[in-house]
């Protein structure tokens, strides 16, 4: 089953903190996003080149507490704002999940405005490889956030996925994901992204 890089996510204890972290690192303003039912989070967004986008996300303090753990392991988030997740899209979420080892979660139907999608979310909110494995998404129809965002002029040059078992993660994903921008290194768990733009190179951690 083919997977493609869809977007990356920066989390923080609050949405203003996540947004400010992205804007300081990338030198550009994020756009207003919206609120997510089911998990009761909210976001701001940045359009990237080549059909990608960046999402700053946090728990919405004005929304009710969900009846299940939030996606992206946000219930356990602590520390400074940081790049926490990468999200891959697939045409057939159910078939992709069946082709991968267990742990990526079960499909949850979601929508924000007229955007509709299904996301695989683990029951405990924690993705494989200590959240270093990608979250999986299947968009319903042709509507996609990247098509509606102003272009920042930034191009993702490299996404580095660091984990003590990075080689195992790479081997697991290799039959499904072919993307030269994604680099796996053995080391402490974490993500960083490098961008090219008119203002030069930018790094987001």
């Amino acid at each position: 089953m083919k997977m493609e890089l869809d977007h990356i996510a920066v989390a923080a204890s609050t949405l203003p903190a996540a947004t400010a972290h992205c804007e300081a690192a990338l030198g550009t303003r994020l756009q207003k996003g919206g609120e997510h039912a089911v998990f009761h989070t909210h976001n701001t967004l940045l359009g990237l080149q080549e059909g990608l986008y960046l999402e700053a996300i946090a728990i919405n303090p004005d929304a009710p507490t969900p009846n299940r753990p939030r996606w992206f392991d946000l219930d356990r988030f602590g520390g400074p704002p940081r790049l926490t997740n990468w999200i891959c899209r697939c045409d057939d979420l159910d078939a992709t999940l069946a082709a991968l080892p267990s742990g990526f979660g079960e499909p949850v139907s979601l929508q924000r405005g007229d955007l509709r999608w299904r996301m695989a979310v683990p029951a405990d909110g924690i993705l494989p490889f200590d959240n270093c494995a990608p979250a999986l998404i299947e968009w319903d129809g042709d509507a996609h956030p990247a098509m509606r965002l102003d272009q920042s002029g930034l191009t993702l040059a490299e996404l580095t996925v660091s984990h003590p078992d990075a080689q195992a993660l790479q081997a697991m994903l290799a039959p499904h994901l072919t993307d030269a921008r994604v680099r796996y290194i053995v080391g402490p768990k974490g993500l960083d992204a490098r961008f090219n733009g008119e203002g030069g190179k930018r790094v987001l951690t």
Side-chain angles (χ1 to χ4, degrees):
M1 296 296 111
K2 185 179 179 182
M3 297 161 47
E4 295 181 312
L5 185 60
D6 188 78
H7 67 282
I8 58 177
V10 169
S13 298
T14 69
L15 184 56
T19 303
H21 178 72
C22 296
E23 292 179 344
L26 301 179
T28 189
R29 297 291 299 273
L30 272 65
Q31 294 178 237
K32 179 179 174 61
E35 300 181 5
H36 306 114
V38 180
F39 296 105
H40 300 302
T41 56
H42 54 173
N43 65 5
T44 53
L45 303 168
L46 180 69
L48 303 172
Q49 299 288 77
E50 300 175 342
L52 301 179
Y53 70 99
L54 179 149
E55 171 184 33
I57 189 168
I59 292 172
N60 183 355
D62 298 323
T65 301
N67 59 6
R68 58 168 293 164
R70 291 179 174 90
W71 50 9
F72 302 142
D73 200 17
L74 284 172
D75 291 310
R76 300 193 309 161
F77 184 89
R82 58 191 179 274
L83 181 61
T84 54
N85 292 92
W86 54 304
I87 299 89
C88 289
R89 65 178 175 267
C90 45
D91 292 333
D92 189 331
L93 181 58
D94 298 290
T96 303
L97 289 170
L100 290 168
S102 62
F104 282 84
E106 297 296 328
V108 179
S109 295
L110 300 154
Q111 69 178 84
R112 180 172 65 80
D114 65 340
L115 292 170
R116 289 172 172 77
W117 69 99
R118 298 168 74 221
M119 177 82 84
V121 183
D124 59 3
I126 305 171
L127 287 158
F129 291 86
D130 306 302
N131 289 313
C132 287
L136 303 179
I137 190 170
E138 178 186 351
W139 293 97
D140 183 7
D142 295 329
H144 189 271
M147 300 169 59
R148 306 178 178 193
L149 295 170
D150 297 334
Q151 284 300 308
S152 64
L154 291 169
T155 300
L156 178 68
E158 185 176 82
L159 173 67
T160 300
V161 182
S162 176
H163 190 274
D165 294 325
Q167 292 177 338
L169 174 59
Q170 182 178 11
M172 180 182 68
L173 296 176
H176 315 287
L177 176 67
T178 303
D179 194 321
R181 297 169 297 186
V182 181
R183 183 170 72 104
Y184 306 86
I185 63 171
V186 175
K189 66 177 182 178
L191 306 173
D192 70 63
R194 299 176 185 274
F195 300 86
N196 296 326
E198 293 182 0
K201 299 181 183 300
R202 296 279 183 168
V203 178
L204 179 65
T205 59

